[in-house]
Amino acid sequence: MRVFNFSAGPATMPLEVLERAQSELTDWRGSGMSVMEMSHRSPEFVSIAAEAEQRLRSLLSVPDDHAVLFLQGGATGQFSGVPLNLAAPGQPAAYLNTGSWSKKAISEGEKYADVRVVADEKASNYASVPDEGSFEVPGDAAYLHYTLNETIGGVEFPYVPDAGDVPLVTDASSTILSRPLDVSRFGVIYAGAQKNLGPAGLVVVIVRRDLLDRARADVPSALDWKAMDAADSMLNTPPTLAWYLVGLVLEWVEQQGGVEEMGRRNKAKADLLYGAIERSDFYSNPVQERARSWMNVPFLVPDPALEKPFVAAAAEAGLSGLSGHRSVGGMRASIYNAMPIEGVQALVDFMTDFEQQNG
Amino acid sequence: MRVFNFSAGPATMPLEVLERAQSELTDWRGSGMSVMEMSHRSPEFVSIAAEAEQRLRSLLSVPDDHAVLFLQGGATGQFSGVPLNLAAPGQPAAYLNTGSWSKKAISEGEKYADVRVVADEKASNYASVPDEGSFEVPGDAAYLHYTLNETIGGVEFPYVPDAGDVPLVTDASSTILSRPLDVSRFGVIYAGAQKNLGPAGLVVVIVRRDLLDRARADVPSALDWKAMDAADSMLNTPPTLAWYLVGLVLEWVEQQGGVEEMGRRNKAKADLLYGAIERSDFYSNPVQERARSWMNVPFLVPDPALEKPFVAAAAEAGLSGLSGHRSVGGMRASIYNAMPIEGVQALVDFMTDFEQQNG
């Protein structure tokens, strides 16, 4: 029996996608082989790859002047990839710091660029995002980097920052495809697949092509956006199985009604869960209302000693993956696209019961 | 109906492995979720990961003082990873050049190290390997790098080069697990998974731990062996689905009798195919006998105009993926562990028929 899986990533996937992959796993559409056995240069796989790219372009209305890359190494790889592709050695690069993932991007960026943290949410204990227009981006910065959604802190930008002429770069790993996003505002969007796109082992990079001439000479080929764009992401052997599964997820999103419909559903799910937390004196969420993530909902109980019993009893009830990140404790429910509202309702019902027994 | 798939990688996998993965794809052993949906920090996935590592250690008798890493970015990623982890900026690094993949490793190495090509098979048109003891490795070299098996040229080292006190590094992508290898002779062995280990999107790095203190400060975290070793390859989210599938392949190799048995089978397969080519005046293989690969068998027909008809008729007969690499043309049969001798026999029979009709 399938459980409701609230893990932050790798995360739950649509059952229809898994069943489709399962049915094709030993023989993809009469080819006599699994997708994972196909040469990445075969017409079959090239069509799978191109179709996935087209679906992503269409779902996100990616402008024609942006390349879409399917790479390896995750968002962490792109923490290095961003400065190596965009900044000359030692050039200033601006970052917003809104929590754990911002910090990792900053720390990796410091290996290659002169990092300027132009806004830092330390004062709010990383429970919010900077006010719109409250920070200045140096005009000579190679880019402004921010974390669109902090998967651990549960903090999401409700607006797209204005960086003037400086290219805007965002880590959208845990929010991509969850609601509409104006891609044309961005120089670079990157997103690890293992939340809203598919399995771990693939990262999508959407990059405006006029930025592709800035790479340092010593960028590793596996992170070299320009070379990857020229080779249709096949400079080396791509993660073919993950790419195929991402394609199936994109097809599913399309069938559900696209990102607008995802946004409606995700807002309803988030409202249901945050509403239950708000109405309760037992549960709490530390994040400022305007910056609450639609995807990752951290919450606390009054007594930390109740956390383990909560997580264990929830798992017994078929609600899995509710521990908070090991760096912060507490609980966290990740409610990505593939989590149906029935799962969120089941969680809210469980929370009510648990409060009655322990409140 | 399944075909015999002779692709060079991604490549054929054992049907038993695919069927096992298929049966578990929506619910791994009662967990209520697919392996690809599991948190990489969950006890379930941690056990899958640890079991795969143990199996690889046991199959290859990896010494305890070597770390085994499961990373992303393929062998191409490690073309950068090797110099970034082992060589100080500008330090000499020795390479043997035996063909296409050596050249790619060399070209990437030149971004970071003072590359010294100490042997080059240009004179043989990359149809052999240097004689044992015929080259000298500078004592101040950070390492000696060679390509154990050239997937495109079909050239394989029949011996392990002696590099003295200089750490020996090899790209074993297309030969790992195909026959016994004395891992203790090596500083580093790396291998992309998509030939003998599983699907694309994962690279195994086996590295002697005393080499882990040499990394440059600017090595990207996703390529940082020391940091990855300290984090059990989970510094970032690993390619969990690929890791699991590699584990299933390793279990299959174990069940078949391990690398000794793989070596016996692979020698029988190679003898069958090379023997058929040798006995024919129609087919030819350009590689010197002592350096012929057991895994990748390139061959030619007298008239290049017959290549496309050969490949097309073979595909009709259920023998897929026989085109040579686009950089060299001709034909190539990759006969990895998962290719049964029945597949090679079917190919030899087809070749005999084709010769009779076209010779």
Side-chain angles (χ1 to χ4, degrees):
Chain A
M1 205 198 66
R2 300 261 302 166
V3 298
F4 288 120
N5 175 7
F6 294 92
S7 285
T12 192
M13 288 177 59
L15 181 59
E16 300 94 309
V17 165
L18 295 175
E19 288 176 340
R20 168 86 168 274
Q22 188 173 40
S23 74
E24 300 178 339
L25 206 71
T26 64
D27 186 355
W28 184 81
R29 305 187 194 174
S31 65
M33 63 183 79
S34 178
V35 169
M36 73 182 103
E37 300 175 297
M38 285 177 186
S39 168
H40 53 298
R41 310 276 180 204
S42 65
E44 291 84 357
F45 186 76
V46 167
S47 80
I48 289 170
E51 205 174 290
E53 180 183 336
Q54 275 316 311
R55 282 218 159 85
L56 188 63
R57 285 186 172 279
S58 160
L59 284 165
L60 287 175
S61 303
V62 177
D64 286 345
D65 56 359
H66 283 61
V68 176
L69 310 176
F70 293 77
L71 307 180
Q72 295 182 58
T76 298
Q78 297 309 320
F79 292 167
S80 335
V82 167
L84 285 165
N85 281 283
L86 296 182
Q91 187 182 358
Y95 283 75
L96 307 183
N97 183 359
T98 54
S100 304
W101 289 106
S102 298
K103 287 172 197 165
K104 292 197 179 190
I106 287 166
S107 156
E108 193 76 12
E110 285 170 341
K111 291 184 181 173
Y112 312 102
D114 175 13
V115 168
R116 311 278 177 87
V117 179
V118 298
D120 193 312
E121 279 298 319
K122 191 168 185 196
S124 75
N125 199 23
Y126 301 102
S128 191
V129 298
D131 288 332
E132 204 164 352
S134 68
F135 50 86
E136 270 190 64
V137 182
D140 59 346
Y143 53 86
L144 171 67
H145 179 283
Y146 77 109
T147 307
L148 212 166
N149 182 78
E150 288 280 357
T151 317
I152 295 174
V155 167
E156 184 166 6
F157 273 82
Y159 67 92
V160 175
D162 183 1
D165 291 337
V166 171
L168 187 60
V169 177
T170 198
D171 174 0
S173 296
S174 46
T175 188
I176 193 165
L177 289 179
S178 68
R179 51 168 143 175
L181 183 70
D182 183 356
V183 175
S184 73
R185 300 273 308 271
F186 292 86
V188 181
I189 297 171
Y190 62 95
Q194 67 272 17
K195 288 106 171 19
N196 266 330
L197 288 172
L202 187 148
V203 56
V204 166
V205 179
I206 303 173
V207 51
R208 218 173 62 215
R209 284 209 176 86
D210 67 337
L211 299 173
L212 291 179
D213 283 320
R214 300 182 174 201
R216 291 167 52 142
D218 60 351
V219 60
S221 291
L223 292 173
D224 183 337
W225 298 341
K226 185 174 188 176
M228 282 293 186
D229 180 39
D232 292 331
S233 303
M234 296 193 193
L235 179 80
N236 62 342
T237 310
T240 51
L241 178 60
W243 196 333
Y244 153 76
L245 288 161
V246 168
L248 294 185
V249 170
L250 295 171
E251 192 175 348
W252 178 85
V253 172
E254 202 175 76
Q255 287 163 352
Q256 304 304 305
V259 286
E260 289 78 10
E261 175 61 17
M262 287 294 130
R264 277 188 290 273
R265 293 186 193 178
N266 288 326
K267 180 162 193 324
K269 285 150 54 183
D271 285 348
L272 176 60
L273 184 49
Y274 285 114
I277 293 169
E278 283 291 298
R279 279 190 305 275
S280 143
D281 294 326
F282 186 79
Y283 300 105
S284 61
N285 168 283
V287 180
Q288 288 182 15
E289 193 172 346
R290 71 185 181 94
R292 282 183 182 156
S293 169
W294 290 12
M295 294 286 100
N296 310 100
V297 184
F299 57 94
L300 297 169
V301 284
D303 178 1
L306 286 172
E307 292 174 2
K308 278 195 176 176
F310 180 98
V311 170
E316 278 294 308
L319 307 169
S320 166
L322 285 164
S323 291
H325 190 269
R326 62 214 159 96
S327 64
V328 293
M331 273 81 70
R332 174 178 50 170
S334 294
I335 49 177
Y336 297 119
N337 284 350
M339 174 59 66
I341 196 159
E342 291 77 12
V344 180
Q345 186 62 59
L347 172 59
V348 166
D349 293 344
F350 171 83
M351 289 168 72
T352 306
D353 289 350
F354 188 86
E355 178 179 354
Q356 283 171 356
Q357 285 161 34
N358 298 276
Chain B
M1 206 199 66
R2 300 261 304 166
V3 299
F4 288 119
N5 175 7
F6 295 92
S7 285
T12 192
M13 287 176 60
L15 181 58
E16 299 93 310
V17 165
L18 296 174
E19 288 175 340
R20 168 86 167 275
Q22 188 173 41
S23 74
E24 300 178 339
L25 206 71
T26 64
D27 185 355
W28 183 81
R29 305 188 194 173
S31 65
M33 63 183 80
S34 177
V35 170
M36 72 182 104
E37 299 175 297
M38 284 176 187
S39 169
H40 53 297
R41 309 275 180 203
S42 65
E44 291 84 358
F45 186 76
V46 167
S47 79
I48 289 170
E51 204 174 292
E53 180 183 336
Q54 276 315 314
R55 282 220 158 84
L56 188 61
R57 285 187 172 278
S58 160
L59 283 165
L60 286 176
S61 304
V62 176
D64 286 343
D65 56 359
H66 284 61
V68 176
L69 310 176
F70 292 77
L71 307 180
Q72 295 182 56
T76 297
Q78 297 309 321
F79 293 167
S80 333
V82 167
L84 284 166
N85 282 283
L86 296 182
Q91 187 182 356
Y95 283 75
L96 306 183
N97 184 359
T98 54
S100 305
W101 289 106
S102 299
K103 287 172 196 165
K104 292 196 180 191
I106 288 165
S107 157
E108 193 76 11
E110 285 170 341
K111 290 183 181 173
Y112 312 101
D114 176 13
V115 168
R116 312 277 177 87
V117 179
V118 298
D120 193 313
E121 278 299 318
K122 191 169 185 194
S124 75
N125 199 24
Y126 301 101
S128 192
V129 298
D131 287 332
E132 201 163 354
S134 68
F135 50 86
E136 269 190 65
V137 182
D140 59 347
Y143 54 84
L144 171 66
H145 180 283
Y146 78 109
T147 307
L148 213 166
N149 182 77
E150 288 280 357
T151 319
I152 295 173
V155 168
E156 185 165 5
F157 273 80
Y159 67 92
V160 175
D162 183 1
D165 291 335
V166 172
L168 187 60
V169 177
T170 197
D171 174 0
S173 297
S174 46
T175 187
I176 193 165
L177 288 179
S178 69
R179 51 166 143 175
L181 183 68
D182 183 357
V183 175
S184 72
R185 299 275 307 271
F186 292 86
V188 181
I189 297 171
Y190 62 95
Q194 67 272 16
K195 287 103 170 25
N196 266 331
L197 289 173
L202 188 149
V203 56
V204 166
V205 180
I206 303 172
V207 51
R208 219 173 61 216
R209 284 207 176 88
D210 68 336
L211 300 173
L212 291 179
D213 283 319
R214 301 183 174 201
R216 290 168 53 143
D218 62 350
V219 60
S221 291
L223 293 172
D224 183 336
W225 297 340
K226 185 174 187 176
M228 282 292 187
D229 180 39
D232 292 331
S233 302
M234 296 194 193
L235 178 79
N236 62 343
T237 311
T240 51
L241 177 61
W243 196 332
Y244 153 74
L245 288 161
V246 167
L248 295 185
V249 170
L250 294 171
E251 192 176 347
W252 177 85
V253 172
E254 203 175 76
Q255 287 162 353
Q256 305 303 304
V259 286
E260 290 76 11
E261 175 62 16
M262 286 295 131
R264 277 188 288 274
R265 293 186 194 179
N266 287 325
K267 178 159 195 323
K269 284 150 56 183
D271 284 349
L272 176 60
L273 183 49
Y274 284 114
I277 293 168
E278 283 291 298
R279 278 191 303 276
S280 143
D281 294 327
F282 186 78
Y283 299 104
S284 61
N285 167 283
V287 180
Q288 286 182 16
E289 193 172 346
R290 73 185 179 95
R292 283 182 181 156
S293 168
W294 289 12
M295 293 287 101
N296 311 100
V297 184
F299 57 95
L300 298 169
V301 284
D303 178 359
L306 286 172
E307 291 174 4
K308 277 194 177 179
F310 180 98
V311 170
E316 279 293 307
L319 308 169
S320 167
L322 285 162
S323 291
H325 190 268
R326 61 214 160 96
S327 64
V328 295
M331 271 83 68
R332 173 177 50 168
S334 293
I335 49 177
Y336 297 120
N337 284 350
M339 174 59 66
I341 196 158
E342 291 76 13
V344 180
Q345 186 61 58
L347 172 60
V348 166
D349 293 345
F350 172 82
M351 289 167 71
T352 305
D353 288 350
F354 188 85
E355 178 179 353
Q356 282 170 357
Q357 284 160 34
N358 297 276

